Amino acid sequence: MRKKAVLVGCGNMAATWVRALRQPDLDDRLVVAGLVDIDLAAADRLRSEFELPECLTGTDLDTMLSRVQPDIVFDVAVPSARLAVVKASLARGCHVLSEKPMATSMPDARQIRQAASEAGRLFAVCQNRRFKEGIRRVRAAVDSGVLGSLNAMHCDFFVGAHFGGFRDAMQHVLLLDMAIHTFDAARFLSGREPLAVYCHESNPSGSWYAHGSTANAVFEFSGDVVFTYRGSWSAEGANTSWDSAWRIVGSKGTLLWDGENAFSLNLVDGDEGFFRPLVQVDVPAAPDPRLVNGHTSVIEDFLRAVESGREPETRGRDNIRSLAMVFCAIESAAARRRVEIDVQEAA
Ligand SMILES: NC(=O)c1ccc[n+]([C@@H]2O[C@H](COP(=O)([O-])OP(=O)(O)OC[C@H]3O[C@@H](n4cnc5c(N)ncnc54)[C@H](O)[C@@H]3O)[C@@H](O)[C@H]2O)c1
């Protein structure tokens, strides 16, 4: 029988979700039975855009949960609404898949983790940038050990993005609303955990954001791996990919990835000469095609977890470690000092 879902937050991102949910593989297994937004017109617009005549719309989540009694809530509301939406949904026995970020503070994230555990329901976060061809290829290459022992990951994120809306007024906008993807990617690519960070955050002159459009951070990861991040949402003139440009250095060579479809993997091939001879090696295609379709893949992974009882890849209990990178970076920038990340506590 098809699961019933309610989607909360019918703004810009919601169309991406509903489009994914209408893909045949998901549509056969799940029906969107309710749309909730504090702005009823937004919910009604989404319903008519995707021709969902049977779908209820409303402004009050509790009322919608009573009327629809869904199995799942998809939370696509603004980050500041996250805690209330997730707790209300878990309390009604729903599994919840939220947009990133998981929460707007670590105490909120811990409350969500606790609420999911007490309710005995799944809670996961949409880290859709893990579910793309490029990152899966790079992860498989790093995982294969071809680079030797992993030493460092460096990444550049420079995207001059003019959103308007909630981001213009948000505190720590880059770290909290975007770097969460990149930091999560660093954990995913390395398979290591973050131990400490030093971060510098600023809002340079000319920035069209209220706060924190730029950040530079150095993370210490387990296994002596260093991860450096240079990021800006207010740098005009030379955008990188939304998935950043990466340089991953191991004891045997270097893998470059432009965040899109360009890969270069050079390995040392000889032990003589000022510059050692190199051999260029292919980065094989992604091993599992089901895992490279962005939001569709995240939702599919989550739905499979609901159906089977196994845990989704981006479960909150794991994602809280990526969020801890964000908040320790924010703390480091405010205090202008290195901050240790308590991975045990975060988990
Ligand atoms: N994964 C990604 O790649 C990606 C990309 C963009 C945005 N996002 C995330 O998606 C979420 C939504 O972003 P957006 O760009 O759609 O924002 P948006 O402002 O366009 O839409 C958010 C909607 O939430 C509604 N809302 C606010 N408070 C609510 C509440 N208490 N209950 C119900 N609805 C409420 C607003 O009325 C609005 O319609 C954010 O968490 C954002 O970080 C993720």
Side-chain angles (χ1 to χ4, degrees):
M1 192 156 112
R2 284 164 102 198
K3 302 274 183 213
K4 268 193 285 182
V6 163
L7 185 143
V8 187
C10 302
N12 291 324
M13 231 18 228
T16 300
W17 280 71
V18 178
R19 201 169 296 116
L21 289 164
R22 301 302 299 275
Q23 299 294 308
D25 182 45
L26 292 176
D27 198 43
D28 290 348
R29 293 150 69 195
L30 185 139
V31 58
V32 182
L35 296 171
V36 178
D37 199 295
I38 50 172
D39 174 8
L40 185 60
D44 286 340
R45 253 194 321 272
L46 197 63
R47 178 173 62 178
S48 50
E49 182 185 344
F50 286 93
E51 298 174 10
L52 303 165
E54 318 270 283
C55 179
L56 303 177
T57 59
T59 56
D60 183 65
L61 176 58
D62 267 334
T63 310
M64 185 63 79
L65 294 176
S66 297
R67 290 175 75 189
V68 171
Q69 308 221 328
D71 306 283
I72 294 172
V73 168
F74 295 126
D75 166 19
V76 194
V78 290
S80 56
R82 188 79 70 240
L83 180 66
V85 167
V86 175
K87 281 182 78 176
S89 306
L90 289 168
R92 294 295 194 95
C94 303
H95 302 286
V96 183
L97 177 61
S98 275
E99 259 301 348
K100 43 57 60 171
M102 173 177 172
T104 54
S105 71
M106 287 306 287
D108 281 11
R110 288 183 203 112
Q111 273 199 58
I112 287 176
R113 182 184 58 188
Q114 176 83 9
S117 152
E118 282 169 12
R121 291 292 180 268
L122 295 178
F123 170 76
V125 180
C126 180
Q127 293 290 176
N128 51 303
R129 295 187 177 278
R130 276 184 181 215
F131 292 83
K132 296 178 79 176
E133 168 78 9
I135 192 165
R136 292 280 159 177
R137 288 176 72 168
V138 175
R139 155 84 192 212
V142 172
D143 219 26
S144 74
V146 71
L147 282 169
S149 58
L150 184 63
N151 293 337
M153 298 180 296
H154 305 286
C155 93
D156 279 354
F157 174 89
F158 293 96
V159 176
H162 296 256
F163 294 98
F166 73 87
R167 292 179 186 83
D168 283 5
M170 195 172 174
Q171 298 288 294
H172 314 289
V173 64
L174 179 74
L175 285 169
L176 189 53
D177 200 60
M178 187 64 217
I180 179 65
H181 279 302
T182 322
F183 295 175
D184 184 66
R187 286 185 57 234
F188 177 64
L189 288 176
S190 64
R192 309 294 166 92
E193 291 301 341
L195 302 177
V197 58
Y198 177 79
C199 180
H200 179 275
E201 183 188 32
S202 63
N203 200 41
S205 67
S207 167
W208 48 96
Y209 296 87
H211 188 261
S213 67
T214 296
N216 295 279
V218 180
F219 287 91
E220 298 162 36
F221 272 52
S222 56
D224 275 338
V225 173
V226 174
F227 166 52
T228 69
Y229 170 81
R230 304 191 298 180
S232 179
W233 246 348
S234 61
E236 297 281 31
N239 286 352
T240 61
S241 156
W242 283 88
D243 289 302
S244 304
W246 293 77
R247 173 180 291 262
I248 301 176
V249 185
S251 57
K252 294 184 181 167
T254 293
L255 195 166
L256 303 179
W257 173 44
D258 73 346
E260 301 290 344
N261 302 313
F263 308 88
S264 151
L265 174 54
N266 285 313
L267 300 177
V268 170
D269 187 30
D271 52 11
E272 288 188 6
F274 182 78
F275 292 121
R276 300 303 202 225
L278 297 175
V279 60
Q280 185 146 26
V281 173
D282 282 343
V283 175
D288 188 343
R290 285 176 313 170
L291 298 176
V292 299
N293 293 319
H295 277 75
T296 306
S297 294
V298 181
I299 297 167
E300 208 280 325
D301 180 64
F302 182 75
L303 186 55
R304 230 171 337 128
V306 169
E307 290 164 346
S308 69
R310 69 152 180 81
E311 290 212 278
E313 178 173 321
T314 56
R315 57 195 172 276
R317 287 193 302 109
D318 180 76
N319 193 255
I320 198 168
R321 297 176 177 198
S322 301
L323 196 72
M325 292 175 74
V326 169
F327 283 106
C328 289
I330 289 171
E331 186 185 332
S332 165
R336 296 193 176 255
R337 65 171 173 81
R338 174 181 175 274
V339 168
E340 293 195 358
I341 302 170
D342 185 344
V343 174
Q344 290 310 321
E345 195 272 343

